[in-house]
Amino acid sequence: MNGPAILVRTLSSTNLVDRYANEWQYLSRSDRHSKVACWGVIFDLMVCTPLLRRHVETGVVCFGINHEMRDFVQDRKKNLDLVLCTPGGDRTKDTLVSYAKDCQIELTEREKSLLETLPQLTRAPVGSVLMALEAKACMTAHQRALPRLYDELNSSHLTVHGASDQAIAVAFTMVNVAEDYLSPDLNKKNRITDPQWSRHKQPRDAELAVSKIKQLPRRSKVGDVGYDAIAIVVVDMANDGRPVELFEREPAPQRGDIYNYESMINRLSGIYATRFKDLS
């Protein structure tokens, strides 16, 4: 699987600049991490799912960004980070490849070669949503952030399935296990002269976040309530310019765990292959 490695590699670059000219790897008000995470999921899913590749090749499936979905039952709405969908209009010139360049996603030569073997997934106005991805992160002040994180994630699957019960709802979550963290909110004018570090009790804080995410409802079939698939990726990120590292020991879900990234991709591939086998 390529997504988590692509994520930490890309987030290692300080490509975000705040109003005080500070350069950051992560800003809570930026959606850079979400874009990179969702891109990696689609990339891996394309590699693993022959039916999806065929649908892309024949023009049946495209993608949309920041698509607003409206719950028909409750009339609530929410913007989803990225969706796979049928085209609802003329395709744009944007592709999965150009989107990677726009997001400054850093790929290895092997990943670039693999990307070139895939059919060209293009962006278009959204018709019917087939898969909706939501990506969230818990980087600091873990315990205080958990109620909002849970509520935002829980509202996503409810909105997706309130709009289309057939759609696949996916959550990608990133949890920080770093003991020290440089928060952009606490380090504006003072970052260079007097940086204020946030200290975490690790791995306890990360474990609390992982446990809370695991409380999200999940579903095994159409008609139930919950996410169709959830991934929890744990990273070690101080946000001070040092490379971000993928943390693969506990509390990160281990291989075979339903929250493990590889398990999520394999599950999505199987669901897509069965749920949309008659799509043409």
Side-chain angles (χ1 to χ4, degrees):
M1 297 296 163
N2 304 282
I6 292 172
L7 179 66
V8 297
R9 187 187 312 124
T10 302
L11 293 187
S12 292
S13 299
T14 53
N15 289 340
L16 301 173
V17 182
D18 65 17
R19 59 182 295 190
Y20 302 100
N22 296 310
E23 295 182 347
W24 299 99
Q25 297 159 292
Y26 177 88
L27 277 171
S28 60
R29 286 174 291 279
S30 168
D31 61 356
R32 178 195 181 205
H33 59 284
S34 299
K35 290 178 176 177
V36 177
C38 290
W39 190 95
V41 170
I42 297 302
F43 178 44
D44 280 331
L45 193 60
M46 289 266 295
V47 171
C48 295
T49 315
L51 181 63
L52 176 58
R53 293 198 300 272
R54 187 162 72 248
H55 284 163
V56 170
E57 197 166 23
T58 57
V60 176
V61 171
C62 58
F63 75 96
I65 300 167
N66 294 328
H67 173 63
E68 181 184 283
M69 293 195 76
R70 186 180 291 272
D71 181 344
F72 178 76
V73 179
Q74 301 293 334
D75 196 26
R76 59 191 156 203
K77 58 185 179 180
K78 188 173 182 63
N79 286 342
L80 278 300
D81 293 319
L82 192 149
V83 299
L84 287 178
C85 57
T86 59
D90 293 336
R91 289 172 174 77
T92 69
K93 294 181 179 179
D94 297 332
T95 66
L96 194 64
V97 175
S98 66
Y99 190 48
K101 293 178 181 178
D102 292 342
C103 297
Q104 297 178 291
I105 293 175
E106 298 183 17
L107 302 175
T108 64
E109 291 304 315
R110 183 193 66 80
E111 290 160 351
K112 290 177 183 177
S113 298
L114 186 56
L115 183 59
E116 290 175 357
T117 68
L118 300 176
Q120 197 72 275
L121 180 63
T122 57
R123 185 179 178 184
V126 176
S128 297
V129 173
L130 307 177
M131 182 181 297
L133 285 81
E134 179 82 312
K136 295 293 181 185
C138 184
M139 302 302 292
T140 189
H142 296 66
Q143 192 163 4
R144 189 168 69 247
L146 291 184
R148 181 178 178 180
L149 175 70
Y150 182 91
D151 288 345
E152 289 181 347
L153 286 168
N154 197 46
S155 68
S156 291
H157 74 83
L158 291 171
T159 303
V160 170
H161 293 143
S164 173
D165 199 37
Q166 289 286 331
I168 302 170
V170 187
F172 179 101
T173 58
M174 179 172 71
V175 175
N176 191 15
V177 75
E179 294 186 357
D180 302 321
Y181 182 77
L182 206 58
S183 168
D185 290 334
L186 301 178
N187 293 273
K188 298 173 182 177
K189 294 182 179 181
N190 61 310
R191 175 173 177 177
I192 303 300
T193 57
D194 186 24
Q196 181 176 339
W197 287 90
S198 298
R199 311 295 181 183
H200 303 146
K201 295 180 180 179
Q202 299 292 12
R204 173 184 170 274
D205 288 349
E207 288 172 346
L208 287 173
V210 169
S211 296
K212 188 65 176 180
I213 295 166
K214 288 182 177 182
Q215 293 175 17
L216 287 165
R218 307 175 302 278
R219 71 176 193 170
S220 60
K221 64 181 183 298
V222 174
D224 287 351
V225 175
Y227 275 104
D228 294 275
I230 303 173
I232 303 172
V233 171
V234 180
V235 301
D236 189 335
M237 183 180 189
N239 206 25
D240 63 349
R242 283 177 284 177
V244 183
E245 296 182 1
L246 191 63
F247 192 88
E248 298 184 285
R249 303 190 304 277
E250 293 183 348
Q254 301 299 292
R255 191 168 188 178
D257 190 301
I258 62 172
Y259 298 97
N260 179 271
Y261 179 85
E262 182 177 4
S263 297
M264 181 198 73
I265 294 295
N266 290 334
R267 178 171 174 78
L268 288 178
S269 182
I271 293 174
Y272 187 95
T274 55
R275 196 170 298 178
F276 302 117
K277 63 181 183 300
D278 297 324
L279 183 67
S280 60

